Amino acid sequence: MPFSYNPPTRSTCSVCEQLERIDNREPVIKTINGKASDANGYPFHGWYNFVLGFTPTFPEYILKTMEITADDIVLDPFNGSGTTQLVCKLQGIQSIGVDANDFMVYAANEKLNWNHDAFLLERALNIIIEEYERQAARINFNDTAIVKEIAMSLRPEMLDKRYMSDKPLIKIFTLKQAIEDALEADGVKSFFSFALASILVSVSNIKYGPGFGIGKLKEDVDVPKLYREKIDKMISDLKSVTRQQVDTESTTIMGDARRLSEFIDEETISLIVTSPPYPGDHEYTKHSRIELIFSGMATDLVSFRKIKKRMLRASTTNIYKDDNDCAAVINLESIIEVTKQIDERLKNDGATSGFEKLYTKLVWEYFGGMSKTFDECLKILRPGGKIALLVSDSHAFKMVHIQTAQILSQIGQMAGFVNPEIDLWQMKNSTSHKYRLRENILIMQKPF
């Protein structure tokens, strides 16, 4: 369902005001540019941009600070569409990425596969566009009744009709069929299919702010033009790399970050660089919903639930009755205090919705899941290896201020990490209240 704007329960935050008085540190990023959209200006990152991702500047900063070299292996256990891995590959550093979302794993793999012949791709693109134009010429786009009938036959069951208008939908599926017909068994088909998936949001009526919503309806879109522009940019990026960069190993795995040691050898990772989900009630499959549906990776509620159960609990829409990650942190005083404040405000406001009743459970499950993740990270890190996390404070639950980095630092030390450091990365503007939230870097080390 599309999101709706709800004003915060409280107009003031004593924690924000206190931090502003006592903490005058300059952030590393001072221009409020440390966001996912900045990746569009980087080679390969802009092939597919996940709205809840982060700027490549963060892993670049960490790799430089930690003096990581080609002899090291870097891991991102919440890999998304591969930002950390792309930074590593461009620097000739081996990396491993893990993500619970099928489409994100697919996207990262495609963005990291640079072993393509640019000339062959350009020739294939021309063939695809010619095939598209041949098939599109058969459709009378001026006949509303025909357009509606064709769109109805093509529209996947899980794709709400508000997400994409009829004409763009037909053009996307026509282009999809053109790729199939033009390339047949060609080995580059996945490259072209991924490029099509990467323009779905720009063709659709979906908008992010960063929540999921429906924007102005686009009755028609020049789909082949957008597609050609995307492919041209991708080919240009491929022409820019060296053979060494192409050959740098980058492995992407679909899996649960709370079970890393099941598919990564112990004591093999030099550095973990990641930005895990925040306790901000963002449902990550919703932000890749249209891509999952079009790719056929999630076609019903059961398949979506399977993905969500692999994920760290960060949204009230992926909390389940049998969840018990909270047991790992049940006695941590900082979480007790935060959830107590949330409960008090729920009671004072007479909150009765099902989602609101899950707020405190979500906070417990989120931090419990991160505790399990830290346990796994310790197993696979080399002695002396470090973990660097980019995490934001939160006001998502009744305006109660959650100091995410500070709580995670406590949990990390409980797990066995030492030498915790918290640095201010940037101040984030919020669309729902007057305060600017702190986004921090938390660095911890595995003992030698």
Side-chain angles (χ1 to χ4, degrees):
M1 295 293 293
F3 73 89
S4 59
Y5 172 76
N6 292 302
T9 307
R10 300 288 185 279
S11 60
T12 61
C13 176
S14 60
V15 177
C16 282
E17 292 171 358
Q18 182 184 24
L19 288 172
E20 189 174 342
R21 288 194 303 270
I22 67 174
D23 189 346
N24 296 316
R25 288 178 299 167
E26 285 291 316
V28 177
I29 299 292
K30 301 180 180 65
T31 57
I32 320 178
N33 287 332
K35 52 190 178 181
S37 60
D38 294 337
N40 289 328
Y42 287 69
F44 299 99
H45 291 278
W47 286 20
Y48 173 79
N49 192 8
F50 183 51
V51 68
L52 295 177
F54 54 92
T55 171
T57 306
F58 167 60
E60 287 176 347
Y61 173 79
I62 295 298
L63 293 179
K64 181 179 180 180
T65 302
M66 302 295 178
E67 299 182 342
I68 296 299
T69 71
D71 295 325
D72 296 302
I73 303 176
V74 174
L75 167 73
D76 188 338
F78 299 99
N79 197 51
S81 63
T83 300
T84 296
Q85 288 196 281
L86 284 168
V87 169
C88 288
K89 193 173 180 74
L90 286 165
Q91 296 188 23
I93 297 167
Q94 185 179 344
S95 68
I96 300 173
V98 177
D99 202 85
N101 186 319
D102 303 57
F103 183 80
M104 292 299 156
V105 174
Y106 168 60
N109 275 320
E110 290 301 322
K111 289 165 73 173
L112 291 160
N113 180 11
W114 304 347
N115 201 18
H116 293 292
D117 185 308
F119 171 76
L120 294 179
L121 291 177
E122 288 169 339
R123 188 171 68 176
L125 174 60
N126 290 330
I127 296 171
I128 290 168
I129 297 298
E130 288 174 6
E131 180 61 24
Y132 167 83
E133 291 173 347
R134 186 181 69 80
Q135 295 186 22
R138 300 173 184 168
I139 303 169
N140 184 358
F141 283 100
N142 295 318
D143 190 317
T144 304
I146 290 176
V147 167
K148 185 176 181 179
E149 181 181 355
I150 295 173
M152 189 178 300
S153 69
L154 293 173
R155 191 177 299 276
E157 183 178 349
M158 292 288 291
L159 189 72
D160 191 300
K161 64 182 180 181
R162 296 168 298 173
Y163 294 176
M164 187 177 291
S165 302
D166 288 346
K167 287 183 181 179
L169 178 80
I170 294 170
K171 291 178 180 181
I172 283 289
F173 273 96
T174 303
L175 189 48
K176 182 179 181 180
Q177 189 60 51
I179 294 169
E180 290 291 325
D181 295 343
L183 300 181
E184 296 180 351
D186 197 295
V188 297
K189 185 182 292 185
S190 184
F191 173 88
F192 287 101
S193 297
F194 169 65
L196 183 62
S198 74
I199 67 169
L200 288 174
V201 171
S202 57
V203 168
S204 76
N205 304 318
I206 289 171
K207 71 171 185 178
Y208 300 110
F212 178 92
I214 306 298
K216 184 178 179 181
L217 299 185
K218 301 172 186 174
E219 296 299 337
D220 199 4
V221 179
D222 192 343
V223 172
K225 179 175 181 290
L226 282 175
Y227 185 67
R228 182 180 283 279
E229 288 173 352
K230 172 67 73 169
I231 295 290
D232 287 345
K233 177 64 171 65
M234 293 166 71
I235 291 174
S236 175
D237 288 345
L238 289 168
K239 289 178 177 178
S240 71
V241 295
T242 66
R243 188 72 244 174
Q244 180 186 2
Q245 290 172 318
V246 172
D247 292 339
T248 297
E249 188 174 349
S250 304
T251 304
T252 309
I253 303 167
M254 186 170 66
D256 188 333
R258 296 164 295 180
R259 306 172 72 172
L260 292 171
S261 62
E262 293 183 8
F263 37 85
I264 299 175
D265 291 338
E266 295 190 6
E267 299 194 347
T268 56
I269 304 299
S270 302
L271 174 67
I272 296 173
V273 182
T274 192
S275 182
Y278 305 161
D281 208 14
H282 289 303
E283 207 276 87
Y284 282 68
T285 60
K286 184 174 286 187
H287 288 75
S288 57
R289 185 180 185 86
I290 192 169
E291 295 92 337
L292 284 163
I293 292 170
F294 268 95
S295 64
M297 295 175 184
T299 56
D300 53 28
L301 292 175
V302 173
S303 50
F304 271 98
R305 189 178 301 117
K306 183 178 180 181
I307 297 171
K308 291 198 287 185
K309 284 206 165 190
R310 285 196 298 261
M311 291 180 167
L312 191 75
R313 304 299 186 253
S315 166
T316 49
T317 60
N318 75 324
I319 291 289
Y320 301 95
K321 288 183 179 179
D322 58 349
D323 286 345
N324 194 37
D325 287 349
C326 61
V329 293
I330 201 66
N331 295 316
L332 192 58
E333 188 61 37
S334 55
I335 306 177
I336 293 172
E337 179 59 30
V338 163
T339 52
K340 179 181 177 182
Q341 290 179 33
I342 295 172
D343 278 333
E344 287 175 352
R345 292 186 181 180
L346 288 168
K347 182 178 179 180
N348 292 338
D349 294 342
T352 58
S353 76
F355 289 139
E356 287 175 314
K357 291 178 180 179
L358 290 173
Y359 282 173
T360 55
K361 182 174 177 58
L362 171 58
V363 172
W364 280 112
E365 292 300 323
Y366 169 79
F367 284 113
M370 285 301 297
S371 177
K372 287 189 172 183
T373 301
F374 286 157
D375 288 342
E376 293 293 291
C377 289
L378 274 171
K379 293 177 185 177
I380 61 176
L381 274 172
R382 296 174 181 172
K386 292 185 178 181
I387 180 170
L389 303 100
L390 183 65
V391 289
S392 175
D393 285 3
S394 171
H395 279 161
F397 309 110
K398 292 295 177 181
M399 199 64 184
V400 172
H401 192 120
I402 301 176
Q403 293 183 268
T404 312
Q406 283 75 6
I407 296 176
L408 288 178
S409 174
Q410 295 168 13
I411 295 171
Q413 291 175 82
M414 287 168 52
F417 281 103
V418 297
N419 303 326
E421 300 175 21
I422 297 177
D423 294 321
L424 180 61
W425 174 249
Q426 68 169 337
M427 300 297 294
K428 296 179 65 176
N429 282 338
S430 173
T431 57
S432 61
H433 52 75
K434 66 180 181 179
Y435 295 103
R436 294 171 64 194
L437 287 171
R438 292 164 181 264
E439 189 170 40
N440 293 303
I441 301 173
L442 169 61
I443 298 174
M444 301 182 291
Q445 185 174 32
K446 178 177 178 176
F448 285 96

